[in-house]
Amino acid sequence: MIKASKPPFVCFQCRLARPRRAQPLFHRPLATRLFSSSSSRRSSHDNEIPITSRPTTAPKPNVDIKHIRQNPSLYEQNCLERNYKIQSTYPSRIVELFAQWQTRQKDGRSLRERSNALRRQIANPATIQHEDEDEETESASKNASTTIATTEEVVKNMTKNQLIEEARIIKDQLSTIEDDEARLEAQMAELALAIPNLTSPETPRGDEPRVLSYINEHPEPAPSTSDRVWRSHVHIGSELGLLDFAGAATTSGWGWYYLLDEGAQLEQALVSYALAVVLKQGLGWRQVAPPSIVYSHIAAACGFQPRDQNGEQQVYTLAQSAADAQRGKPELCLAGTAEIPLAGMKADTVLEEADLPLKRVGVSRCYRAEAGARGVDTKGLYRVHEFTKVELFAWTPPDATLTTEVFDEMLDLQTEILQGLGLHCRVLEMPTADLGASATRKCDVEAFFPSRRNPDRGDDGWGEVTSASICTDYQARRLATRLRAAGGATGKMAYPWTVNGTALAVPRVLAAVLENGWDEAEMTVTIPECLRPWMDGKDRIGLKHSRNY
């Protein structure tokens, strides 16, 4: 007897429904709805979220996405207050993506239940229907009552080949679901990484800073009409042969400079003086000589992006050969501040709570690609591409009170340094509009520059010379710097907070020293007493060089 041809395979999901007509092979209306790769099923934002490629060796960031999901309005308002308008849409998009992810999770659980039922049946051969019973089974299903059979009952009526085929299809669909889940998780993480830190209650909302205090007396309350010419550090440095901008423009371009003779000595003296103030206090600061070249992903984790919100280049990236790029070799860049390599010292490590706070002070060359628009306010040394800076950095327990103590300590050190230099300064609590991505709170210290005073436009001559910021766990989470609680080897890991501050940025402070110490009648600059030990005991810099130096 010739065996009848096998009926077409119909999955058990379709068998659950009352058949109206013969179903096409492997037709799965439910699966098509849930797992189709059609773009109409996905969020309209999906293609707008490029995932940043990170080297396998990069620290794995762990942003608190749950907190963002639970407080989208808080994060949206925070972004708007900081002028992160694009990022203000990210919290709601994360909520949307999470809803899609939950749907995939639910779909996956349903398919896994079906897959487990198939596996159990395949593992029990005694209950598998024989191939020659197919026709009989099909006839019986057509005459079945309207009561829908359970999944287990349908599975029991399938042959071994049908079970295997169904398991293969479900495996493929689970793979699609898992890919979708991974994609959605990556997109949520990418958006979360771009959202700035939450703002401290101490920070003024808006764009106006709050004056906290002043340092030293104002040297010249009444402005002089000749300030813009005779008190400019560019003019002073040229007259005394301390600065050469023309040679640097030929060699490197606008934004670079040469320091000559006492100008170069002043740079070294300022660095030595700042280190002496920080290290002599017995406060536990350890000196570090950090690298100037870092991985780009380390800089990004600290909050320094290659381009700002206006698309302007911020970071000097080192060119990569095609071979290195193809091999996936991590990209390198020039550090814009020692904050980056200092923070990177503890990337992907576990700190012990008993060791905190860890405090470091480092001297480095700093590189800034965007030096600002050319004009009187950025002329000379005020905004340059390369400079020397003394940086303070600390890891603290995740506690607002303990962290604020270290923050205040940094401000005290900055105040002492500038006070010793005799510069008139003011300490400002910076507003939300001036906060970077990583800072929850930031204080700037501005010094008085006679050349920057312009009564016609209401400019009193202030210019930033130092700053200090609290970053909570923003950097630690992105650098995978974790914290083990004291006495808890198996306890839950937390994240330390980070604090950073500029002890002294050489070009701006040097410019302020030249302008505030200038004597027009004598054509000399008075050297602050605190710098004289590193200036061969000299108290003044005068005219003694040929103009053809």
Side-chain angles (χ1 to χ4, degrees), residues 219-253:
E220 202 171 71
S224 168
T225 57
S226 65
D227 280 359
R228 301 296 294 184
V229 177
W230 297 107
R231 298 294 292 275
S232 165
H233 69 275
V234 177
H235 170 82
I236 296 167
S238 299
E239 283 289 325
L240 300 182
L242 307 177
L243 304 174
D244 181 5
F245 293 103
T250 302
T251 304
S252 306

Side-chain angles (χ1 to χ4, degrees), residues 42-103:
R42 297 184 180 178
S43 165
S44 61
H45 296 301
D46 286 358
N47 294 331
E48 300 173 15
I49 310 173
I51 305 302
T52 302
S53 177
R54 292 182 179 83
T56 55
T57 55
K60 186 177 180 181
N62 183 20
V63 182
D64 192 352
I65 299 178
K66 181 179 179 181
H67 193 264
I68 298 174
R69 290 197 331 263
Q70 293 175 340
N71 303 275
S73 298
L74 171 65
Y75 282 88
E76 178 182 351
Q77 181 63 29
N78 183 66
C79 289
L80 292 173
E81 289 176 346
R82 288 172 174 244
N83 290 332
Y84 283 77
K85 293 183 179 179
I86 295 176
Q87 289 80 354
S88 68
T89 64
Y90 291 178
S92 60
R93 291 174 67 182
I94 288 174
V95 172
E96 294 172 4
L97 292 170
F98 182 70
Q100 295 179 39
W101 181 83
Q102 283 184 309
T103 300

Side-chain angles (χ1 to χ4, degrees), residues 186-479:
Q187 290 178 343
M188 286 188 286
E190 195 71 19
L191 292 176
L193 286 169
I195 295 175
N197 202 352
L198 290 176
T199 306
S200 166
E202 298 289 334
T203 299
R205 267 53 182 175
D207 55 9
E208 287 296 324
R210 182 172 66 248
V211 178
L212 299 179
S213 61
Y214 288 92
I215 303 171
N216 294 326
E217 294 296 324
H218 200 298
E220 202 171 71
S224 168
T225 57
S226 65
D227 280 359
R228 301 296 294 184
V229 177
W230 297 107
R231 298 294 292 275
S232 165
H233 69 275
V234 177
H235 170 82
I236 296 167
S238 299
E239 283 289 325
L240 300 182
L242 307 177
L243 304 174
D244 181 5
F245 293 103
T250 302
T251 304
S252 306
W254 182 84
W256 272 272
Y257 55 95
Y258 285 103
L259 296 177
L260 306 172
D261 300 317
E262 287 94 339
Q265 267 189 293
L266 274 174
E267 176 174 66
Q268 300 305 315
L270 287 167
V271 170
S272 298
Y273 165 62
L275 287 175
V277 171
V278 174
L279 298 174
K280 77 178 181 182
Q281 303 291 333
L283 298 173
W285 293 92
R286 293 179 60 187
Q287 187 174 347
V288 178
S292 294
I293 296 178
V294 298
Y295 285 131
S296 294
H297 60 260
I298 295 294
C302 292
F304 293 84
Q305 300 298 328
R307 294 186 179 275
D308 65 12
Q309 298 176 72
N310 299 318
E312 296 290 334
Q313 184 182 357
Q314 296 291 302
V315 177
Y316 285 113
T317 302
L318 302 189
Q320 238 184 356
S321 68
D324 285 346
Q326 190 173 12
R327 290 200 304 266
K329 188 174 181 180
E331 182 183 79
L332 291 165
C333 67
L334 296 177
T337 167
E339 173 191 342
I340 298 170
L342 290 175
M345 287 180 71
K346 300 300 180 182
D348 231 350
T349 60
V350 178
L351 305 180
E352 300 295 336
E353 187 177 25
D355 295 334
L356 300 185
L358 295 177
K359 296 184 284 189
R360 303 291 183 263
V361 54
V363 181
S364 74
R365 295 292 278 180
C366 304
Y367 301 88
R368 306 285 175 89
E370 197 282 303
R374 297 181 66 172
V376 292
D377 287 338
T378 60
K379 189 177 180 181
L381 296 175
Y382 191 78
R383 196 178 296 277
V384 292
H385 290 298
E386 180 182 4
F387 57 96
T388 301
K389 183 158 70 84
V390 182
E391 182 75 7
L392 303 168
F393 191 89
W395 295 266
T396 68
D399 180 270
T401 301
L402 297 176
T403 301
T404 302
E405 289 179 2
V406 176
F407 180 71
D408 290 341
E409 183 178 305
M410 287 185 180
L411 289 175
D412 290 342
L413 290 171
Q414 292 172 341
T415 299
E416 181 176 348
I417 291 169
L418 295 170
Q419 195 169 39
L421 291 169
L423 300 177
H424 176 56
C425 305
R426 63 178 184 176
V427 183
L428 304 175
E429 186 78 55
M430 300 309 291
T432 52
D434 284 349
L435 295 185
S438 61
T440 184
R441 182 187 176 193
K442 178 172 176 274
C443 284
D444 283 359
V445 181
E446 294 182 340
F448 171 68
F449 289 80
S451 68
R452 294 174 65 82
R453 174 185 269 173
N454 188 337
D456 294 337
R457 65 181 188 186
D459 193 335
D460 293 330
W462 298 108
E464 178 196 343
V465 289
T466 70
S467 67
S469 301
I470 298 176
C471 298
T472 61
D473 61 2
Y474 181 96
Q475 294 176 330
R477 283 183 173 275
R478 286 158 174 77
L479 290 169

Side-chain angles (χ1 to χ4, degrees), residues 523-544:
M523 298 289 284
T524 62
V525 171
T526 299
I527 299 173
E529 187 174 351
C530 61
L531 299 181
R532 294 172 189 173
W534 296 280
M535 295 291 292
D536 300 327
K538 288 183 285 190
D539 60 355
R540 289 179 179 273
I541 302 172
L543 284 168
K544 59 181 179 299

